[in-house]
Amino acid sequence: MSVPAGRGLPRGEVRDRGQPRDSRRTRAARAPAGTRVYHGPLYCGLALERSIDRRKVRSASAASHLHILEEAARVLELRDTDFVHLTRSGLLTHAETSVSRHNKRTTVPLYRQADLDRILRSKRIDWPVVRATPKGKPSPLAALPTRR
């Protein structure tokens, strides 16, 4: 008899108490070589859909969105050079890297939306002054100390 996802044993069916309960080690030892054993609880997608607030799911999804450098600079409404000053100073670091589709030797840093939102809320930076700096003029962010 199959058990529906996200539920216990069907009514009237009892687990055999004579069998030892699987531990994490025994499950991992029985797994084929090279496979990863998931030790956490498994959830039914329908149960999650019904029980989780959709606004929280949407905001978590938006916060985890990844941007390349140019897109991230556009989100912050900065010049690319201003964005480079933020990364040089260590105020902003990439969350992940990806390999370029065009040149497999080039890695592309990816910046998470939540990190961009965090830096926007920072009181250390005077955003109107940074955004008002015209092209060709030195950035106020150039004065930030370099991360070592």
Side-chain angles (χ1 to χ4, degrees):
M1 177 176 248
S2 66
V3 178
R7 303 195 184 211
L9 292 172
R11 190 174 282 208
E13 196 170 316
V14 180
R15 192 181 86 192
D16 183 8
R17 297 217 184 260
Q19 296 175 346
R21 188 173 181 167
D22 280 351
S23 69
R24 290 181 180 184
R25 282 193 189 138
T26 58
R27 274 184 276 168
R30 281 190 277 129
T35 60
R36 185 171 179 190
V37 178
Y38 179 71
H39 298 296
L42 295 175
Y43 297 102
C44 171
L46 294 174
L48 286 175
E49 184 178 301
R50 286 187 213 114
S51 66
I52 292 181
D53 185 5
R54 290 179 189 260
R55 284 178 286 159
K56 289 181 183 177
V57 171
R58 272 193 298 264
S59 68
S61 176
S64 65
H65 187 78
L66 297 172
H67 302 280
I68 61 173
L69 185 141
E70 291 83 9
E71 288 176 0
R74 212 169 323 139
V75 167
L76 295 177
E77 300 174 19
L78 297 175
R79 302 177 294 180
D80 290 351
T81 55
D82 294 332
F83 192 85
V84 170
H85 289 304
L86 286 174
T87 58
R88 176 190 50 80
S89 68
L91 290 176
L92 189 63
T93 58
H94 63 276
E96 291 183 31
T97 57
S98 180
V99 177
S100 171
R101 283 187 256 166
H102 305 292
N103 184 356
K104 299 297 181 195
R105 295 182 190 153
T106 304
T107 57
V108 179
L110 301 172
Y111 301 91
R112 193 177 12 197
Q113 181 67 44
D115 296 334
L116 300 178
D117 293 340
R118 177 187 50 81
I119 198 82
L120 276 175
R121 291 189 303 269
S122 174
K123 303 291 184 203
R124 294 176 64 181
I125 299 169
D126 188 4
W127 291 109
V129 171
V130 172
R131 290 184 181 122
T133 306
K135 197 173 192 174
K137 298 288 182 185
S139 171
L141 297 176
L144 291 171
T146 302
R147 178 184 64 190
R148 293 177 190 212

